[in-house]
Amino acid sequence: LDNYPRHLLVGQPLTVQALASGQLPATAHLHMWQASKERQEQMVVAGQNTFRHTIASLREPVTFQAIAGSAASDVGTVEVVEAPAVGNFYIRYQYPDYTGLPATIQEGSGHVEALAGSEVRIQMGANKPIARGELVFDDNTRLPLLVRSDGLLQATAIITKPGGYRVEVQDALGFTNQDQLSYRIDVIPDAVPQIDLLAPAPDMELEEGRVIILEYEARDDFGVRELALVYRAGPFGEKRVVIDRV
């Protein structure tokens, strides 16, 4: 038997080649045992001294032997394995300190939606033990996945811009996940603070020494931490005064 894979993913084709030497037979057959069933298929001539047979879609392990006349090859076996796959996402969001928002958890989907600057921990399960893996982002940067002792996969990223990513994993046999879905990264806009000056009027003349009262309204989607009055009086340049909360 010529070189053949010892493991294949479910549904992949298997091609078996047998090399003949000495007095060449006119025909050769491939004897196969699968799930306690036995069958024989004629092999086709594939070149000088070579016979070949292809199983279009291998669904279960197979043991085989090439037979030509009274000659027989060694016995070969190919195991069938599932491709690695990931799912059951568990995403923890830690928002920037200035927002005052508590950490939140998202389960199920791998799509990410967060404020810029958020720390996102992406965790997922797999259908089999994983040897290594990466998050591959739209800009082709890669972030290694931590393979935990409980079999879960994990990575932590700081979200800075919208885009997307996919998950690439590999099992101990070197097989990678076949369905590498794309997951969105959406950045929630953080509106700039707004301030309205209610009084006094924009244009007014003041007598020297007169006290005026400023009325204002300041707002932000995550609260106003500090408010300052910036003013210029005469030739002295700008001055800045932090306004106490009332």
Side-chain angles (χ1 to χ4, degrees):
L1 293 175
D2 199 4
N3 189 35
Y4 59 89
R6 270 49 177 182
H7 297 85
L8 277 180
L9 295 179
V10 175
Q12 286 190 324
L14 169 64
T15 297
V16 178
Q17 286 195 155
L19 304 179
S21 60
Q23 186 175 355
L24 297 181
T27 60
H29 293 81
L30 190 66
H31 205 78
M32 291 174 282
W33 297 267
Q34 239 177 339
S36 301
K37 295 181 181 179
E38 188 175 343
R39 75 178 194 274
Q40 186 170 280
E41 298 285 348
Q42 184 169 338
M43 304 181 79
V44 299
V45 177
Q48 187 176 9
N49 305 342
T50 304
F51 296 89
R52 179 185 298 158
H53 179 71
T54 297
I55 302 174
S57 178
L58 192 64
R59 312 299 302 184
E60 53 191 9
V62 61
T63 299
F64 49 86
Q65 184 179 39
I67 299 174
S70 60
S73 70
D74 294 335
V75 174
T77 298
V78 174
E79 300 292 339
V80 173
V81 298
E82 295 281 349
V86 297
N88 298 326
F89 284 83
Y90 180 95
I91 301 177
R92 183 182 187 275
Y93 295 92
Q94 183 66 57
Y95 301 103
D97 291 342
Y98 75 85
T99 67
L101 295 174
T104 60
I105 302 296
Q106 169 191 309
E107 297 185 63
S109 170
H111 299 303
V112 172
E113 185 177 21
L115 288 162
S118 298
E119 180 184 270
V120 177
R121 187 176 68 199
I122 302 174
Q123 179 181 300
M124 68 201 77
N127 64 333
K128 63 191 304 186
I130 298 298
R132 61 188 62 84
E134 294 177 314
L135 300 185
V136 184
F137 295 93
D138 285 353
D139 60 3
N140 289 323
T141 58
R142 292 173 176 263
L143 180 64
L145 285 166
L146 170 68
V147 182
R148 298 180 4 176
S149 59
D150 58 5
L152 296 176
L153 310 173
Q154 181 179 303
T156 301
I158 302 297
I159 301 303
T160 59
K161 61 183 179 180
Y165 72 97
R166 58 186 171 85
V167 181
E168 192 175 280
V169 295
Q170 187 179 91
D171 66 14
L173 294 171
F175 292 114
T176 59
N177 48 325
Q178 302 297 291
D179 299 322
Q180 297 184 11
L181 302 178
S182 293
Y183 300 99
R184 297 189 319 274
I185 298 176
D186 296 327
V187 174
I188 301 172
D190 180 8
V192 298
Q194 301 289 321
I195 185 166
D196 296 325
L197 185 62
L198 306 178
D203 297 313
M204 66 177 299
E205 294 183 1
L206 298 176
E207 297 175 0
E208 185 175 352
R210 179 181 172 184
V211 176
I212 62 171
I213 297 176
L214 296 178
E215 293 184 18
Y216 59 89
E217 183 179 274
R219 57 192 178 276
D220 183 74
D221 43 2
F222 295 107
V224 177
R225 185 170 61 182
E226 181 181 278
L227 186 68
L229 173 66
V230 180
Y231 67 95
R232 179 184 292 122
F236 303 108
E238 285 188 351
K239 292 187 178 182
R240 185 176 187 273
V241 179
V242 176
I243 299 176
D244 295 331
R245 293 176 181 267
V246 293

